[in-house]
Amino acid sequence: MSLPLSHPALLAADPELAALVAAEERLQSDTLRLIPSENYVSTAVLEASGTVLQNKYSEGYPGRRYYEGQQNIDKVEALAVDRAKALFGVEHANVQPYSGSPANLAVYLAFAEPGDTVMGMALPMGGHLTHGWGVSATGKWFRGVQYGVRADTGRVDLDEVRDLALKERPKLIFCGGTALPRTIDFAAFAEIAREVDAVLVADVAHIAGLIAGGAHPSPAPYADVISTTTHKTLRGPRGAMLMSRASHAKAIDKAVFPGLQGGPHNQTTAAIAVALHEAAQPAFCAYAHQVVANAKALAEALLARGFDLVSGGTDNHLILMDLTSRGVSGKVAAKGLDRAGVVVNYNTVPYDPRKPFDPSGIRIGTPALTSRGLGVEHVAMVAEWIDRGVAAAGAGDEGALSAIRQEVMALLTTHPAPGLPQS
Ligand SMILES: *Cc1c(COP(=O)(O)O)cnc(C)c1O
């Protein structure tokens, strides 16, 4: 599919870079993107993030800046904050963190001292680097103790989490992660945190859009702090937010600025405001429920084809496939599927006997395909492509992969992606 030329000024000033952007537009238009942390933002979000708001320095917070000329910027940030508070039902929101990782670092700075014990889910079990994993600053500067999922169920065992918390007495407890196909029991985590007097941080980066759309329970009544990126299911620009009760507002704001960051990225703040406005509309609620319906239908179709799914299925937008019984590694499968126009990432599965750079699993999700308007009627086809693609990748059958590529293109042509130039 050839797309019309976009970004004329960029093309004139820097044709080399413009060509790369155009190639990326084509790639996002012409591939079935199944990476669960990715999405398509709207043209409105794209436009907001490319505005002259980016020309401003605004250290501080609305009404309390260290720079003059903030008449408009203050209103932009206040709008984003008010919309976040209304959408998530929280008393305080900070929209300045540059991304999810620095947002989490700010939480450490607000509530812990170097060397303190912190608890989170282990990375290979589905947690995030910033929840105290060893290679991360959070695991080097703090004493990270890590929980996992049960080998027999693939699910978090809250009795194990409680036992570990009682033994280790962490200052912070993180719940949430990057490869969790099941609903997070925020109430149970809050109970455990209360028992050991820890601060409970719900890191909902992956599921924020589902929470906003009412398709996953909200942590707002239970968590001391909610951390989220804005660019995954929430469908905003690359950025993050920290939310809390009013009692923690000061500590969080001080930690983000001046504790960790300088000037906020105002163009991103504006795009977050737009995304939050979009997320408050009925159409977003429908999208969030469709993401889950599509993931459940896709999981069923994969199970029917004999695939092993960690935890046996999904409650949300994400599916973790264990390819061990297929005799194909996650990396070989992911690279083959990529050549078939189906973009996934290779991923460890819990208790993976293989190494992280060539693990046993692939991780897939439905946010991006749902944003393209694909529904449950399409996911049986997706499951078939994955099935044929994994087999072809294992067999090195490039002809079979190209055949899938043609079929993928035929479907995508009828469902143009938001935010991209259309032919
Ligand atoms: C994506 C993610 C992050 C980190 O976000 P970045 O913007 O990539 O730094 C943190 N926590 C969880 C659970 C995530 O899924």
Side-chain angles (χ1 to χ4, degrees), residues 195-285:
E195 259 180 77
V196 303
D197 201 22
V199 171
L200 177 66
V201 188
D203 182 348
V204 299
H206 260 262
I207 54 174
L210 306 185
I211 292 166
H216 187 289
S218 170
Y222 307 108
D224 296 296
V225 181
I226 301 170
S227 174
T228 186
T229 56
T230 47
H231 49 269
K232 297 179 184 173
T233 49
L234 191 56
R235 226 158 53 177
R238 300 198 82 84
M241 307 192 292
L242 289 171
M243 298 178 278
S244 71
R245 286 188 266 277
S247 53
H248 291 316
K250 241 195 183 128
I252 287 171
D253 285 356
K254 253 181 62 187
V256 173
F257 173 85
L260 198 65
Q261 298 188 169
H265 295 178
N266 297 310
Q267 77 284 8
T268 300
T269 306
I272 289 174
V274 174
L276 292 170
H277 179 64
E278 291 177 348
Q281 308 308 314
F284 191 89
C285 194

Side-chain angles (χ1 to χ4, degrees), residues 102-124:
N104 284 346
L105 262 187
V107 175
Y108 287 85
L109 188 58
F111 299 104
E113 295 291 329
D116 278 350
T117 299
V118 299
M119 191 166 115
M121 184 180 243
L123 180 69

Side-chain angles (χ1 to χ4, degrees), residues 62 65 70-80:
R65 304 283 190 190
Q70 305 298 320
Q71 297 86 331
N72 304 309
I73 299 296
D74 274 4
K75 288 181 186 155
V76 168
E77 186 169 335
L79 202 53

